[in-house]
Amino acid sequence: GYIALGKLSLRDESLAKESLNILARELHHDSNADPAVMSNALMIMGDLCVRYTNLVDKYLPYLAGCLQAGDGKPDRVSGASVSRLSLTFCRQAANPYSIVKKNAVLLLASLLLQDYIKWRGLFIHRFLAAVADPDDEVSCLASTALRGPLLEKQPALFSNHFVGAVFVFNSCSAHPLYQAEASSGGGMSIGFNTSLSGEVGALRRKEIYDFMLSNMNDEQKLAVTARLCKEVLGGALETSGDLSVVCNLPACGAQSTKSSLPTCRIVAATNVLTDTLTILTSSQIKVGRKGSNGADDLANTSSLRSEQRSAHKQKLLSKISRKHLMEIVLPILCNLKSVLESSHSPLLKDLMQYLGYVFRSYRKEVVESLANDPTTLQELEYDLKQWKKKYSTVQAEIVAADED
């Protein structure tokens, strides 16, 4: 029935206007529609978007919602529907909603590339969430589309939304950065899957962060590092806001504190800070590391001169990165360390891990910068010794295992 309705609607604009509400109802996140019906409705709305772009534009949140179709719902679907939808060679029954997600990735990527729709609100975050989808086929399709033609069309796509993604994927909706990402979304956040937040979604969030960073150039990584330090770690030093409140909570958390924040906001803000410190410690964000984006690599191999120019550029960016760390980041880290120590916050462990990483990477510069803070310097020296001891033990175990 929907296919016939779609064909008729392509010829009659007034009928298309009336049928869009019916189709959108099938795609709504609260709908219990059969995946086969959802898939048909999705493809019909895609055709209508090409034919009547202005009419379909306000229904974009319903199209984008198909990237998380079925999330949080039990896999109770009729056997006939599963057999119609199955496009996999795996004998084990896949998630019946996977075909809806795969169709959504392909359709939305095509519409974006042809400028029938634009990135807005949490659309990009819905697409990124598909990169970490439990279904490998959905994940592969989403990552290929994003790092390929979509990133080529908009090279700053990941760097512009990276910091906001940390807040969005942790459901830290009270923070201004989340609100800025969600603004002008036209309902794009309604029904957005929150399974990425909390401890259970930590590995999937890391997968998304690593994917984004591996497809950034060095200039973009520098910009992301600066924003993370200024807007997240620096924001934690302000006198108000969820990040500041969390940093002043004791180790026992909200239970023994007269905090006006609900537990969900405390958990979200804590995970934002933890993720930020983990990202900054990650090798993926290190300047000079080659990502998977091969555009620069192809240009650099064209001639020896371009290779030398690239080497000089990397050396210059490394110097800029080091200077930024010493002059901007290190003072923020030291101030934040004092706040976390005074409140006995569990976040101190994550902060010291990042400080230790900076100390191991730039020991001479850190010693000079912390000349007036001997206590912190002694702690870092001690942590370095412990790290070396642990590293030597691990290496010895690896050698022993190889000999066996």
Side-chain angles (χ1 to χ4, degrees):
Y2 281 123
I3 295 176
L5 177 63
K7 290 181 178 180
L8 292 172
S9 298
L10 286 172
R11 299 183 177 183
D12 187 339
E13 184 174 354
S14 60
L15 178 60
K17 188 180 296 186
E18 294 177 6
S19 62
L20 279 171
N21 285 324
I22 301 173
L23 296 168
R25 184 182 60 199
E26 300 294 343
L27 301 182
H28 195 276
H29 70 280
D30 287 334
S31 169
N32 291 320
D34 187 285
V37 175
M38 289 186 67
S39 188
N40 287 336
L42 171 68
M43 302 309 293
I44 293 168
M45 288 190 76
D47 290 339
L48 292 177
C49 183
V50 175
R51 183 71 176 86
Y52 309 112
T53 305
N54 292 334
L55 288 180
V56 182
D57 186 66
K58 67 178 181 179
Y59 295 99
L60 179 57
Y62 296 94
L63 297 173
C66 291
L67 292 167
Q68 282 76 47
D71 287 4
K73 295 181 180 180
D75 297 339
R76 292 197 297 267
V77 182
S78 66
S81 176
V82 173
S83 63
R84 290 199 306 271
L85 290 168
S86 179
L87 296 179
T88 178
F89 294 103
C90 180
R91 292 189 178 185
Q92 184 179 3
N95 185 332
Y97 288 95
S98 292
I99 190 64
V100 181
K101 296 180 181 180
K102 286 183 277 189
N103 283 339
V105 170
L106 295 172
L107 175 65
L108 292 171
S110 176
L111 294 175
L112 282 164
L113 290 171
Q114 298 177 77
D115 290 324
Y116 287 112
I117 58 176
K118 302 288 184 183
W119 295 114
R120 70 170 191 248
L122 300 185
F123 187 10
I124 176 62
H125 303 93
R126 282 187 173 277
F127 223 115
L128 286 168
V131 171
D133 193 275
D135 188 299
D136 290 340
E137 293 181 3
V138 175
S139 173
C140 182
L141 271 179
S143 59
T144 301
L146 279 171
R147 70 167 172 245
L150 293 175
L151 188 61
E152 184 179 346
K153 182 178 177 66
Q154 194 170 338
L157 183 63
F158 294 160
S159 58
N160 286 344
H161 294 281
F162 189 91
V163 179
V166 177
F167 288 88
V168 172
F169 293 137
N170 281 292
S171 300
C172 193
S173 55
H175 196 277
L177 275 175
Y178 182 105
Q179 295 165 7
E181 291 287 323
S183 64
S184 69
M188 198 70 70
S189 60
I190 297 176
F192 187 27
N193 179 30
T194 57
S195 65
L196 288 170
S197 60
E199 188 176 347
V200 294
L203 289 177
R204 292 177 64 194
R205 292 199 304 274
K206 183 180 185 302
E207 182 181 350
I208 296 172
Y209 300 148
D210 288 346
F211 169 76
M212 296 175 76
L213 289 170
S214 66
N215 288 283
M216 290 186 201
N217 58 35
D218 285 342
E219 292 96 327
Q220 291 170 337
K221 290 179 181 180
L222 274 176
V224 166
T225 301
R227 285 195 63 196
L228 286 172
C229 292
K230 179 182 177 182
E231 299 181 35
V232 182
L233 300 184
L237 294 173
E238 295 177 357
T239 56
S240 62
D242 290 10
L243 299 179
S244 176
V245 171
V246 163
C247 288
N248 287 282
L249 286 178
C252 46
Q255 284 74 16
S256 64
T257 308
K258 296 179 181 179
S259 173
S260 59
L261 294 182
T263 304
C264 60
R265 284 176 60 175
I266 292 175
V267 171
T270 301
N271 287 334
V272 165
L273 288 166
T274 302
D275 280 8
T276 297
L277 292 168
T278 302
I279 291 165
L280 291 171
T281 312
S282 168
S283 60
Q284 293 286 353
I285 203 170
K286 187 176 181 181
V287 172
R289 176 187 174 89
K290 292 185 178 180
S292 62
N293 189 348
D296 290 337
D297 297 335
L298 292 173
N300 292 340
T301 56
S302 62
S303 67
L304 178 61
R305 181 175 298 176
S306 64
E307 289 180 1
Q308 292 174 339
R309 188 161 54 243
S310 177
H312 288 311
K313 181 180 178 181
Q314 282 194 355
K315 187 178 293 185
L316 176 61
L317 290 172
S318 295
K319 288 182 178 179
I320 295 173
S321 175
R322 188 185 305 118
K323 183 178 180 181
H324 177 261
L325 269 173
M326 296 305 113
E327 296 182 0
I328 307 296
V329 179
L330 198 57
I332 291 176
L333 294 177
C334 291
N335 290 334
L336 190 56
K337 176 175 175 287
S338 299
V339 173
L340 297 178
E341 283 178 337
S342 63
S343 63
H344 304 286
S345 172
L347 288 167
L348 184 60
K349 178 182 177 181
D350 298 295
L351 179 70
M352 290 306 296
Q353 286 180 346
Y354 180 48
L355 263 174
Y357 169 78
V358 174
F359 186 62
R360 293 193 301 272
S361 303
Y362 308 104
R363 183 174 182 178
K364 181 180 176 181
E365 291 85 351
V366 173
V367 169
E368 293 177 357
S369 298
L370 296 181
N372 296 324
D373 191 356
T375 302
T376 301
L377 200 55
Q378 288 175 2
E379 292 176 2
L380 291 174
E381 290 282 6
Y382 175 78
D383 289 345
L384 179 60
K385 290 179 182 179
Q386 295 299 111
W387 181 84
K388 286 182 176 179
K389 187 184 297 184
K390 183 178 179 180
Y391 180 78
S392 299
T393 302
V394 172
Q395 290 296 108
E397 292 175 353
I398 293 174
V399 172
D402 290 339
E403 289 177 352
D404 293 341

